[in-house]
Amino acid sequence: MTAFVTDLSGDFRHACAARIEGFLRTATFDRPTLVIDTDVVLQNFRALSQGLGDAHIHYAVKANPEPQVIEALVNAGSHFDAASRGEIELCLSQGARPEDISFGNTVKKPGDIAFAYNVGVTLFAADAEEELDKIAEHAPGAEVYIRLIVEASGADWPLTRKFGCAPDHAVALMDYALSLGLRPVGVSFHVGSQTRKAEMWAPVLDRIADVWRAARAEGHALDLLNIGGGFPAFYGEDIAAPAIYAAQVREMVAERFGDLARLMAEPGRGLVAEAGMIAAEVVLVSRKSPDDLHRWVYLDIGMFSGLAETMDEAIRYQFVTARDGERTGPCILAGPSCDSADVLYEKRMIDLPLGLKSGDRVFIRSCGAYTSSYSSVGFNGFPPLDVVVM
Amino acid sequence: MTAFVTDLSGDFRHACAARIEGFLRTATFDRPTLVIDTDVVLQNFRALSQGLGDAHIHYAVKANPEPQVIEALVNAGSHFDAASRGEIELCLSQGARPEDISFGNTVKKPGDIAFAYNVGVTLFAADAEEELDKIAEHAPGAEVYIRLIVEASGADWPLTRKFGCAPDHAVALMDYALSLGLRPVGVSFHVGSQTRKAEMWAPVLDRIADVWRAARAEGHALDLLNIGGGFPAFYGEDIAAPAIYAAQVREMVAERFGDLARLMAEPGRGLVAEAGMIAAEVVLVSRKSPDDLHRWVYLDIGMFSGLAETMDEAIRYQFVTARDGERTGPCILAGPSCDSADVLYEKRMIDLPLGLKSGDRVFIRSCGAYTSSYSSVGFNGFPPLDVVVM
């Protein structure tokens, strides 16, 4: 199957980065700015669509809720996964059809369920009795899929036990949904954000397939499998091209589930991360004393103004400076706020040019996901990350 | 010294909480809302002023930049510590005099230094040569104090090594500042946010006093000691009353520094934390399966919409529900977003009524500090924390 898929990695990735970097080099910004290239979003959308074949792609809006990104994806035929009423409103405002929006948060306020139902959203996630009660009351007769908890798969941003029911409780929840007049149509799961290797999906899919078979054996006419997100972005470590990765996942799904009436996937990072680059600036380079082995580099963007995914140093961004090619050395990288937790990388330091100094511009690659919306409203008086869409 | 200070803890604390809680019980909010009682802010300001005697209190604006809080403190005679140009503009807009504002961030953009200097700010922090270069260029002749790094003191929100120079490098930085035409007038440090016991200050003050003496011996006519923040708020664990705590610190300072021409302190949390309470709501109560020992309670506020200080479960908030008094049990507490990192307390669970269910209101105490400004701009489509000032 994978033989027919074009490898869009290598050259394409370089071309994308070059285009955004070219724009950044000629532009000036008076504060940290995320530049998004919607062409890259669409290219990734097409690559994942190609690899996933008949699956519906529901873009995980939370990854980047920039209206122009949503609009571009609406025009390309994408569906959407919304985490809140706010995201549903956003999708509708950009032209998405309500029947193409799933309300995938398993923790929903009654009023938000009612809102979604009234505008025409028909598909809801749940992982608990009380959530089904709310959906039955405020979205009577709706389709629901049961989210399952799965063991961590080795993803770079692994999931906690926050979402999902125990696999052996799924059938009971489907029974309960039916008793409330809801339509339990399938199951969902999440392998973990930034799951770098497709083979990490195999044991998770095995477990989900067990539940799927058990539910069908109990008489539930499931026809929807939601494989969630987890599609990786390039942060410097080698990953497969999106189309090839997706095709591998699709093949593993086919092996375990055969023909599926409805397959859906919820990529977020995999669509938008590489489409964005942040223009930032060095504010200070220092050592604690002349004989200190550790160099500190402070940027004008930090953990509270866009780079929240550096928490626990989970996501490791790549940095581009005008001094690249000069001699480099390790540094501790920190943000501009007075908060001592606002340190980006310290345990594993970042290699940057030794000549770097205050005022130097720094570009940060693959910043299209989980940056602008993670920004604080104005912590320490710094404005939130600005966004420009190319 | 402490004998003359009124204990404002116990009864006063209860009275404050009762007043805000009374307001919350009669009000309705359609989304998570922080209610701030400026009377409590002013009461804390007077208590710390009483304990610290001749010290100038520079409110650390980053703790809560609500304009009405700033305005109330301006009218009470407070000075201000700003982390950015944005915070300086805010203070000026609320009537603060520029000479009462210190620019305490050791990581400042050149343009922001120039802005501060041009509006009349005269006092700047620095901990490195490059920062002094920037200040000398954009705020020629300004007063600077050198921030020193100190060992963690056992604070609940301990500091990293992000800020400050090594103590034995301080005199060299003062020499350098002088060579640039700046006026090195003193030193600063920070014992760590939420330092619950006043005696934790002693070893830190010892170390700072060594530097102070060494600098004076080298001919630097220091006259400003900035003791930073660290003044604790009540989160359920016993702490001394603000006035008594502050008086203890003042006494320890007097023992080590004698008469000081200028003493300044930068409380943030100690002024505003107890002045705020958040009105939130339970969105879901669930277990992963019927035999799961762990109950999950999901609120409509989480780590990305105001409760960022639950990171690593550092700050432990107190929760009030209408079912208090009923049987309770431990629960894992989580926020409403689709982010699996949005779990507030799991390692040390929270005891809440077993009857708690979706739709129940929850009040969260001592939320006046580091909540509204830490909110994301709209992660997962949830609006940032709303604020109401009483």
Side-chain angles (χ1 to χ4, degrees):
Chain A
M1 193 169 192
T2 58
F4 299 99
V5 173
T6 318
D7 184 345
L8 294 167
S9 187
D11 288 351
F12 170 66
R13 220 156 236 153
H14 285 299
C16 295
R19 194 172 112 96
I20 310 182
E21 272 181 54
F23 177 82
L24 288 181
R25 283 182 204 287
T26 56
T28 55
F29 307 102
D30 61 358
R31 57 167 162 138
T33 301
L34 170 66
V35 175
I36 299 170
D37 185 345
T38 52
D39 284 353
V40 179
V41 178
L42 296 178
Q43 191 71 46
N44 284 331
F45 177 75
R46 285 189 288 267
L48 289 184
S49 298
Q50 185 185 359
L52 289 173
D54 52 346
H56 276 152
I57 290 182
H58 286 239
Y59 170 56
V61 177
K62 56 185 171 286
N64 190 320
E66 198 61 26
Q68 288 171 264
V69 169
I70 307 297
E71 184 190 21
L73 284 168
V74 167
N75 295 334
S78 183
H79 293 198
F80 298 90
D81 175 62
S84 66
R85 171 179 174 153
E87 288 190 352
I88 294 171
E89 291 175 316
L90 168 65
C91 291
L92 294 174
S93 76
Q94 298 307 310
R97 300 183 307 168
E99 59 269 34
D100 294 341
I101 303 171
S102 51
F103 201 164
N105 195 338
T106 54
V107 183
K108 297 176 286 296
K109 282 194 160 182
D112 293 355
I113 296 171
F115 168 82
Y117 180 74
N118 288 330
V119 298
V121 172
T122 58
L123 183 60
F124 297 81
D127 67 0
E129 285 80 358
E130 195 180 56
E131 191 69 17
L132 291 167
D133 289 336
K134 287 186 285 175
I135 297 172
E137 181 175 351
H138 299 285
E143 290 188 335
V144 292
Y145 58 84
I146 304 299
R147 175 143 174 192
L148 306 174
I149 195 168
V150 292
E151 296 303 313
S153 63
D156 281 1
W157 186 260
L159 302 183
T160 62
R161 287 174 54 83
K162 182 175 177 188
F163 300 109
C165 70
D168 60 7
H169 187 48
V171 175
L173 285 177
M174 291 174 196
D175 292 341
Y176 187 65
L178 266 184
S179 77
L180 297 172
L182 295 170
R183 293 192 289 152
V185 292
V187 298
S188 76
F189 63 93
H190 199 302
V191 292
S193 198
Q194 186 67 6
T195 293
R196 270 184 287 113
K197 293 181 188 305
E199 54 261 38
M200 292 174 177
W201 287 67
V204 174
L205 287 168
D206 285 340
R207 192 79 189 89
I208 302 301
D210 289 342
V211 175
W212 182 269
R213 276 189 296 269
R216 290 197 142 189
E218 295 287 330
H220 290 288
L222 305 187
D223 73 351
L224 171 67
L225 177 67
N226 176 355
I227 62 172
F231 302 87
F234 181 71
Y235 291 110
E237 286 194 81
D238 205 33
I239 55 168
I244 291 174
Y245 181 102
Q248 288 173 330
V249 171
R250 182 68 190 89
E251 197 166 358
M252 285 186 276
V253 168
E255 286 164 8
R256 288 160 181 82
F257 294 84
D259 283 339
L260 280 164
R262 288 193 281 174
L263 177 64
M264 64 185 266
E266 296 168 340
R269 186 190 306 281
L271 286 182
V272 294
E274 294 171 30
M277 197 175 285
I278 286 175
E281 189 180 309
V282 174
V283 186
L284 177 66
V285 180
S286 68
R287 293 176 192 268
K288 299 299 172 188
S289 65
D291 55 352
D292 187 353
L293 296 177
H294 296 112
R295 180 174 54 136
W296 286 71
V297 173
Y298 300 83
L299 302 180
D300 61 355
I301 184 168
M303 189 173 282
F304 305 109
S305 46
L307 303 182
E309 287 210 315
T310 58
M311 181 158 58
D312 297 330
E313 310 195 7
I315 295 292
R316 293 186 70 78
Y317 294 108
Q318 294 189 289
F319 300 87
V320 180
T321 80
R323 299 182 196 274
D324 291 352
E326 299 178 13
R327 262 188 74 211
T328 66
C331 66
I332 299 168
L333 205 62
S337 74
C338 280
D339 199 299
S340 63
D342 187 10
V343 176
L344 307 175
Y345 301 110
E346 183 170 17
K347 283 175 253 166
R348 282 175 61 198
M349 288 190 272
I350 298 288
D351 219 50
L352 286 177
L354 291 169
L356 209 63
K357 63 181 175 53
S358 171
D360 282 2
R361 298 181 75 195
V362 172
F363 301 152
I364 315 174
R365 286 196 177 128
S366 293
C367 280
Y370 301 108
T371 47
S372 55
S373 60
Y374 252 132
S375 294
S376 72
V377 292
F379 190 53
N380 271 232
F382 295 107
L385 182 62
D386 205 3
V387 184
V388 169
V389 180
M390 290 171 67
Chain B
M1 195 169 191
T2 57
F4 299 100
V5 174
T6 317
D7 183 345
L8 294 167
S9 188
D11 289 350
F12 170 67
R13 220 159 237 152
H14 287 297
C16 294
R19 194 172 112 95
I20 309 182
E21 273 181 53
F23 176 82
L24 287 182
R25 282 181 205 287
T26 57
T28 54
F29 307 102
D30 61 358
R31 58 169 162 137
T33 301
L34 169 66
V35 175
I36 301 170
D37 185 344
T38 53
D39 283 356
V40 179
V41 178
L42 295 178
Q43 193 69 47
N44 284 331
F45 177 76
R46 285 189 288 267
L48 289 184
S49 297
Q50 186 184 0
L52 288 173
D54 52 347
H56 276 152
I57 290 182
H58 286 240
Y59 170 56
V61 177
K62 56 184 170 286
N64 190 320
E66 199 60 27
Q68 287 170 267
V69 169
I70 306 298
E71 183 189 20
L73 285 168
V74 167
N75 294 334
S78 182
H79 294 199
F80 298 89
D81 175 61
S84 65
R85 171 177 175 156
E87 288 189 353
I88 294 171
E89 290 175 317
L90 167 65
C91 291
L92 295 174
S93 75
Q94 298 306 310
R97 300 183 308 168
E99 59 269 34
D100 293 341
I101 302 170
S102 50
F103 201 163
N105 195 339
T106 55
V107 182
K108 297 177 286 294
K109 282 194 160 182
D112 293 355
I113 296 170
F115 168 83
Y117 180 75
N118 287 332
V119 298
V121 172
T122 58
L123 183 60
F124 297 81
D127 67 1
E129 286 80 356
E130 195 180 54
E131 192 69 17
L132 291 167
D133 288 336
K134 285 185 285 177
I135 298 172
E137 181 175 351
H138 299 284
E143 290 188 337
V144 292
Y145 58 84
I146 304 299
R147 175 144 174 192
L148 306 174
I149 197 167
V150 292
E151 295 303 313
S153 62
D156 282 0
W157 185 260
L159 301 183
T160 61
R161 288 173 53 82
K162 182 175 177 185
F163 300 109
C165 69
D168 59 8
H169 187 49
V171 174
L173 285 179
M174 292 174 195
D175 292 342
Y176 187 65
L178 266 184
S179 78
L180 296 172
L182 295 169
R183 293 192 291 152
V185 291
V187 297
S188 76
F189 63 94
H190 199 301
V191 292
S193 199
Q194 186 68 5
T195 293
R196 270 183 288 114
K197 294 182 186 304
E199 54 262 39
M200 291 174 178
W201 287 67
V204 173
L205 287 168
D206 285 342
R207 192 77 189 90
I208 303 299
D210 289 342
V211 175
W212 182 269
R213 277 189 296 271
R216 290 197 142 187
E218 295 287 330
H220 290 288
L222 305 187
D223 72 353
L224 170 67
L225 177 67
N226 176 355
I227 63 172
F231 302 87
F234 181 70
Y235 292 109
E237 287 194 81
D238 204 35
I239 54 168
I244 291 175
Y245 181 104
Q248 288 173 328
V249 171
R250 181 69 189 90
E251 196 166 359
M252 286 186 276
V253 168
E255 286 164 9
R256 288 159 181 83
F257 294 84
D259 284 338
L260 280 164
R262 289 192 281 174
L263 176 64
M264 65 186 265
E266 297 167 338
R269 184 189 308 280
L271 287 181
V272 294
E274 293 171 32
M277 196 174 287
I278 286 175
E281 189 180 310
V282 175
V283 187
L284 177 67
V285 180
S286 68
R287 292 176 193 268
K288 299 298 171 188
S289 66
D291 55 351
D292 188 354
L293 296 176
H294 296 111
R295 180 174 54 136
W296 286 72
V297 173
Y298 300 83
L299 302 179
D300 63 353
I301 185 168
M303 188 174 283
F304 305 110
S305 46
L307 303 181
E309 287 209 315
T310 58
M311 181 159 59
D312 298 329
E313 310 196 9
I315 295 292
R316 292 187 71 78
Y317 293 108
Q318 293 190 288
F319 300 86
V320 180
T321 80
R323 300 181 196 275
D324 291 351
E326 298 178 14
R327 262 188 73 213
T328 64
C331 67
I332 300 167
L333 204 63
S337 74
C338 279
D339 199 299
S340 62
D342 187 10
V343 175
L344 307 175
Y345 300 110
E346 183 171 16
K347 282 174 254 168
R348 282 176 61 198
M349 289 190 272
I350 298 288
D351 220 49
L352 286 177
L354 291 169
L356 209 63
K357 62 180 176 52
S358 171
D360 282 2
R361 297 180 77 194
V362 172
F363 302 151
I364 315 174
R365 287 195 177 127
S366 293
C367 281
Y370 301 108
T371 46
S372 56
S373 61
Y374 252 131
S375 294
S376 71
V377 291
F379 190 52
N380 271 230
F382 294 108
L385 183 62
D386 205 5
V387 184
V388 169
V389 180
M390 289 170 69

